[in-house]
Amino acid sequence: MKPLLLLDVDGVLNPTGRPSPDFRRYRCTIGSTVYTVHLNQRHGTRLMELALETGSELVWATTWEQHANEWIAPRLGLPPLPVIEMAPGENGSRHGEMFKTRHVADYVGDRPFVWFDDQVYQEDEDYLRARQGLGEFLLVHVPGRVGLTSRHLAAAREWLTLTGFSQGQ
C-alpha cells in the first residue's frame, strides 16, 4: 500500500508572499476568471524525487481540483495526478477543522499520507486522529507567504523513512 503525498497549490506551490527569483509568473484562465500564479519548476523535480525515493503517490488536495492537472502540473513538470474532489464552496467545520480535511480523510482511507497545506492546524490533526480507520499521517504546515521549502520535503522524507512507510528502498 503506497503512502500518499497530498499537495495543495495556493500557499504551498504558489506562495502568497513575494516570490523569490526562481519563481515564474503565469496567468491561468479558468472559466471567466484569470488567476496569477507563481511557480518554481524545482518543486516539481523535488516532489517527483521524493515520491520515487519513498515509493509514494502524489495526489492533488487543492480547490484547483482537476484544473491543477491542466494549469499547475505541466508548468512544474509533473504528470497528471489523481485529484481529491473538494466541493470548494462548502463550509461547515464540525470541530474547527478546515473543510478540505473531511474530503482528505474520505479519500485516503487507511493509507499512510503526508499532507502539505498552508491551512492545516491542530484542529485538522485532532479531527483526523479521532477518525476511525484512518491510517498514519503527517501534516506539514507550509507558511503560505513562503511556500514549500526543502525543510518541508525533508520532514516528509524523514517521517516516511523512520515510520517504515517508505517503499523506495
Side-chain angles (χ1 to χ4, degrees):
M1 187 163 44
K2 279 184 158 188
L4 301 171
L5 296 170
L6 308 181
L7 303 171
D8 184 27
V9 172
D10 294 321
V12 175
L13 300 175
N14 175 33
T16 59
R18 184 182 199 118
S20 66
D22 24 328
F23 282 79
R24 186 168 167 205
R25 183 174 158 221
Y26 297 94
R27 293 177 65 78
C28 307
T29 304
I30 299 174
S32 61
T33 306
V34 177
Y35 297 93
T36 299
V37 296
H38 296 91
L39 301 172
N40 182 339
Q41 191 167 18
R42 284 191 285 174
H43 281 150
T45 303
R46 291 176 179 162
L47 288 163
M48 288 298 294
E49 287 171 355
L50 177 62
L52 289 170
E53 288 172 19
T54 61
S56 299
E57 179 182 359
L58 293 166
V59 176
W60 292 119
T62 174
T63 55
W64 281 74
E65 294 182 317
Q66 288 295 340
H67 298 294
N69 281 324
E70 178 183 354
W71 290 102
I72 307 301
R75 287 155 179 85
L76 295 179
L78 294 173
L81 304 176
V83 174
I84 299 174
E85 299 296 325
M86 292 289 172
E90 179 182 307
N91 289 322
S93 142
R94 294 182 184 142
H95 306 286
E97 78 282 359
M98 164 177 54
F99 81 93
K100 291 196 288 186
T101 305
R102 293 186 304 280
H103 299 287
V104 164
D106 290 341
Y107 183 88
V108 300
D110 62 353
R111 291 174 74 177
F113 67 96
V114 175
W115 184 8
F116 298 103
D117 202 297
D118 62 319
Q119 295 181 12
V120 290
Y121 297 103
Q122 188 62 50
E123 294 82 0
D124 302 288
E125 175 135 357
D126 293 345
Y127 176 88
L128 293 169
R129 295 251 177 251
R131 175 86 179 235
Q132 293 292 321
L134 199 65
E136 292 295 316
F137 63 88
L138 174 67
L139 301 184
V140 180
H141 177 83
V142 176
R145 293 191 51 73
V146 177
L148 189 69
T149 66
S150 297
R151 183 177 54 83
H152 302 120
L153 296 169
R157 180 178 291 106
E158 180 179 356
W159 183 81
L160 286 163
T161 303
L162 291 177
T163 57
F165 296 125
S166 175
Q167 299 178 357
Q169 303 296 323

